[in-house]
Amino acid sequence: MQNESQDRNSGKRVFHNNEDCPVRNVVAQIGDMWTLLILFTLVDDSERFNTLKFRVKGISQRMFTQTLIDLEREGYISRTVYPEVPVRVEYVLKNWEKVL
């Protein structure tokens, strides 16, 4: 079965709920609340780890760290570690068009 097909009556695209559906795959990656909040926090500029966590209210340390790891692995954000004392870690959106 095709991912995207045409509705016979309206001619509009129809998206099937299967693992090959492009819309379903994007929503699965960025559809949870914490991911969206972190992404929208990074829209304006890069942020340091603690500043970013401060701006995303109510998230646990574990969830915050795991969400950042997932976003970096998926290619949505970039993490830069600066060899300073104390160590400075900044996050920035890697490719905003990919998110959209």
Side-chain angles (χ1 to χ4, degrees), residues 41-79:
T41 302
L42 290 171
V43 166
D44 298 327
D45 201 4
S46 63
E47 288 284 358
R48 293 179 71 168
F49 181 88
N50 285 328
T51 305
L52 183 59
K53 184 170 184 313
F54 176 78
R55 291 184 64 196
V56 181
K57 302 289 185 190
I59 190 170
S60 70
Q61 182 73 34
R62 183 173 187 266
M63 180 59 77
F64 180 68
T65 302
Q66 187 60 54
T67 303
L68 289 174
I69 290 168
D70 293 343
L71 286 170
E72 184 179 13
R73 184 187 65 238
E74 295 296 330
Y76 292 107
I77 64 172
S78 177
R79 176 181 182 259

